[in-house]
Tab-separated table of all heavy atoms in Angstrom:
chain	number	residue	atom	x	y	z
A	1292	ALA	N	-4.149	11.714	22.095
A	1292	ALA	CA	-4.533	11.598	20.681
A	1292	ALA	C	-3.414	11.994	19.725
A	1292	ALA	O	-3.206	11.360	18.694
A	1292	ALA	CB	-5.780	12.431	20.397
A	1293	PHE	N	-2.684	13.062	20.047
A	1293	PHE	CA	-1.596	13.535	19.190
A	1293	PHE	C	-0.245	13.464	19.917
A	1293	PHE	O	0.672	14.218	19.623
A	1293	PHE	CB	-1.860	14.970	18.729
A	1293	PHE	CG	-3.042	15.082	17.799
A	1293	PHE	CD1	-4.311	15.361	18.293
A	1293	PHE	CD2	-2.881	14.908	16.432
A	1293	PHE	CE1	-5.399	15.472	17.434
A	1293	PHE	CE2	-3.965	15.012	15.562
A	1293	PHE	CZ	-5.230	15.293	16.073
A	1294	GLN	N	-0.137	12.555	20.847
A	1294	GLN	CA	1.086	12.421	21.640
A	1294	GLN	C	2.300	12.169	20.755
A	1294	GLN	O	2.275	11.321	19.863
A	1294	GLN	CB	0.916	11.269	22.636
A	1294	GLN	CG	2.091	11.086	23.571
A	1294	GLN	CD	1.788	10.045	24.641
A	1294	GLN	OE1	0.630	9.786	24.960
A	1294	GLN	NE2	2.828	9.449	25.186
A	1295	ASP	N	3.356	12.937	21.000
A	1295	ASP	CA	4.632	12.812	20.289
A	1295	ASP	C	4.553	13.181	18.813
A	1295	ASP	O	5.461	12.850	18.045
A	1295	ASP	CB	5.221	11.399	20.447
A	1295	ASP	CG	5.554	11.090	21.894
A	1295	ASP	OD1	5.960	12.018	22.617
A	1295	ASP	OD2	5.404	9.934	22.311
A	1296	CYS	N	3.504	13.873	18.401
A	1296	CYS	CA	3.459	14.440	17.054
A	1296	CYS	C	4.117	15.824	17.110
A	1296	CYS	O	3.720	16.642	17.942
A	1296	CYS	CB	2.020	14.598	16.564
A	1296	CYS	SG	1.126	13.057	16.365
A	1297	PRO	N	5.078	16.110	16.240
A	1297	PRO	CA	5.758	17.409	16.289
A	1297	PRO	C	4.915	18.511	15.640
A	1297	PRO	O	5.372	19.241	14.761
A	1297	PRO	CB	7.047	17.147	15.503
A	1297	PRO	CG	6.648	16.122	14.485
A	1297	PRO	CD	5.636	15.235	15.185
A	1298	LEU	N	3.655	18.626	16.060
A	1298	LEU	CA	2.717	19.587	15.460
A	1298	LEU	C	3.196	21.012	15.660
A	1298	LEU	O	3.486	21.438	16.770
A	1298	LEU	CB	1.334	19.431	16.081
A	1298	LEU	CG	0.531	18.199	15.678
A	1298	LEU	CD1	-0.663	18.028	16.581
A	1298	LEU	CD2	0.124	18.291	14.232
A	1299	THR	N	3.207	21.764	14.568
A	1299	THR	CA	3.554	23.185	14.631
A	1299	THR	C	2.340	24.059	14.369
A	1299	THR	O	2.384	25.259	14.616
A	1299	THR	CB	4.641	23.531	13.598
A	1299	THR	OG1	4.172	23.181	12.280
A	1299	THR	CG2	5.918	22.747	13.876
A	1300	SER	N	1.264	23.458	13.867
A	1300	SER	CA	0.095	24.250	13.485
A	1300	SER	C	-1.193	23.513	13.812
A	1300	SER	O	-1.345	22.337	13.462
A	1300	SER	CB	0.148	24.541	11.979
A	1300	SER	OG	-1.013	25.175	11.536
A	1301	ILE	N	-2.091	24.205	14.508
A	1301	ILE	CA	-3.418	23.641	14.758
A	1301	ILE	C	-4.383	24.771	15.121
A	1301	ILE	O	-4.004	25.725	15.792
A	1301	ILE	CB	-3.383	22.579	15.881
A	1301	ILE	CG1	-4.647	21.722	15.846
A	1301	ILE	CG2	-3.211	23.211	17.257
A	1301	ILE	CD1	-4.520	20.415	16.579
A	1302	ASN	N	-5.613	24.663	14.618
A	1302	ASN	CA	-6.673	25.595	14.981
A	1302	ASN	C	-7.827	24.789	15.548
A	1302	ASN	O	-8.379	23.928	14.864
A	1302	ASN	CB	-7.151	26.392	13.761
A	1302	ASN	CG	-6.135	27.410	13.311
A	1302	ASN	OD1	-5.584	28.157	14.120
A	1302	ASN	ND2	-5.870	27.459	12.022
A	1303	PHE	N	-8.170	25.056	16.802
A	1303	PHE	CA	-9.280	24.347	17.424
A	1303	PHE	C	-10.609	24.964	16.994
A	1303	PHE	O	-10.760	26.192	17.014
A	1303	PHE	CB	-9.175	24.415	18.948
A	1303	PHE	CG	-7.971	23.719	19.504
A	1303	PHE	CD1	-7.093	24.385	20.346
A	1303	PHE	CD2	-7.717	22.395	19.195
A	1303	PHE	CE1	-5.995	23.745	20.871
A	1303	PHE	CE2	-6.608	21.737	19.708
A	1303	PHE	CZ	-5.749	22.418	20.556
A	1304	PRO	N	-11.605	24.136	16.637
A	1304	PRO	CA	-12.920	24.681	16.290
A	1304	PRO	C	-13.640	25.190	17.535
A	1304	PRO	O	-13.359	24.750	18.657
A	1304	PRO	CB	-13.643	23.472	15.681
A	1304	PRO	CG	-12.997	22.291	16.331
A	1304	PRO	CD	-11.560	22.667	16.522
A	1305	ASN	N	-14.573	26.100	17.342
A	1305	ASN	CA	-15.306	26.679	18.472
A	1305	ASN	C	-16.220	25.675	19.171
A	1305	ASN	O	-16.680	25.933	20.276
A	1305	ASN	CB	-16.131	27.882	18.004
A	1305	ASN	CG	-15.267	29.077	17.673
A	1305	ASN	OD1	-14.202	29.274	18.274
A	1305	ASN	ND2	-15.689	29.879	16.717
A	1306	THR	N	-16.463	24.533	18.523
A	1306	THR	CA	-17.313	23.495	19.126
A	1306	THR	C	-16.566	22.653	20.160
A	1306	THR	O	-17.185	21.899	20.903
A	1306	THR	CB	-17.833	22.546	18.030
A	1306	THR	OG1	-16.718	22.070	17.268
A	1306	THR	CG2	-18.820	23.260	17.111
A	1307	LEU	N	-15.234	22.778	20.206
A	1307	LEU	CA	-14.427	21.921	21.081
A	1307	LEU	C	-14.764	22.142	22.552
A	1307	LEU	O	-14.848	23.280	23.014
A	1307	LEU	CB	-12.942	22.195	20.844
A	1307	LEU	CG	-11.960	21.233	21.521
A	1307	LEU	CD1	-12.109	19.818	20.972
A	1307	LEU	CD2	-10.524	21.725	21.345
A	1308	LYS	N	-14.957	21.034	23.283
A	1308	LYS	CA	-15.294	21.098	24.707
A	1308	LYS	C	-14.243	20.441	25.590
A	1308	LYS	O	-13.983	20.913	26.700
A	1308	LYS	CB	-16.647	20.419	24.951
A	1308	LYS	CG	-17.819	21.076	24.246
A	1308	LYS	CD	-19.098	20.294	24.486
A	1308	LYS	CE	-20.279	20.934	23.746
A	1308	LYS	NZ	-21.516	20.132	23.926
A	1309	ASN	N	-13.656	19.337	25.130
A	1309	ASN	CA	-12.735	18.563	25.960
A	1309	ASN	C	-11.403	18.304	25.272
A	1309	ASN	O	-11.368	17.798	24.151
A	1309	ASN	CB	-13.361	17.212	26.319
A	1309	ASN	CG	-14.652	17.353	27.096
A	1309	ASN	OD1	-14.671	17.874	28.190
A	1309	ASN	ND2	-15.735	16.884	26.506
A	1310	ILE	N	-10.321	18.655	25.956
A	1310	ILE	CA	-8.972	18.277	25.537
A	1310	ILE	C	-8.441	17.395	26.659
A	1310	ILE	O	-8.159	17.882	27.766
A	1310	ILE	CB	-8.060	19.505	25.342
A	1310	ILE	CG1	-8.663	20.454	24.299
A	1310	ILE	CG2	-6.661	19.066	24.906
A	1310	ILE	CD1	-7.918	21.768	24.169
A	1311	GLU	N	-8.338	16.113	26.422
A	1311	GLU	CA	-8.041	15.194	27.509
A	1311	GLU	C	-6.540	15.085	27.797
A	1311	GLU	O	-5.703	15.643	27.089
A	1311	GLU	CB	-8.652	13.821	27.204
A	1311	GLU	CG	-10.177	13.874	27.165
A	1311	GLU	CD	-10.828	12.518	26.997
A	1311	GLU	OE1	-10.120	11.497	26.870
A	1311	GLU	OE2	-12.082	12.472	26.979
A	1312	GLU	N	-6.229	14.366	28.847
A	1312	GLU	CA	-4.860	14.229	29.359
A	1312	GLU	C	-3.855	13.863	28.264
A	1312	GLU	O	-4.115	12.993	27.436
A	1312	GLU	CB	-4.856	13.152	30.447
A	1312	GLU	CG	-3.514	12.890	31.086
A	1312	GLU	CD	-3.591	11.815	32.148
A	1312	GLU	OE1	-4.698	11.509	32.622
A	1312	GLU	OE2	-2.530	11.279	32.513
A	1313	ALA	N	-2.717	14.562	28.272
A	1313	ALA	CA	-1.586	14.265	27.385
A	1313	ALA	C	-1.929	14.313	25.905
A	1313	ALA	O	-1.237	13.710	25.088
A	1313	ALA	CB	-0.991	12.897	27.747
Side-chain angles (χ1 to χ4, degrees):
F1293 293 93
Q1294 183 173 336
D1295 297 326
C1296 296
L1298 287 168
T1299 58
S1300 174
I1301 197 161
N1302 288 313
F1303 296 126
N1305 288 329
T1306 53
L1307 189 64
K1308 298 177 181 177
N1309 300 297
I1310 302 173
E1311 295 185 358
E1312 180 180 342

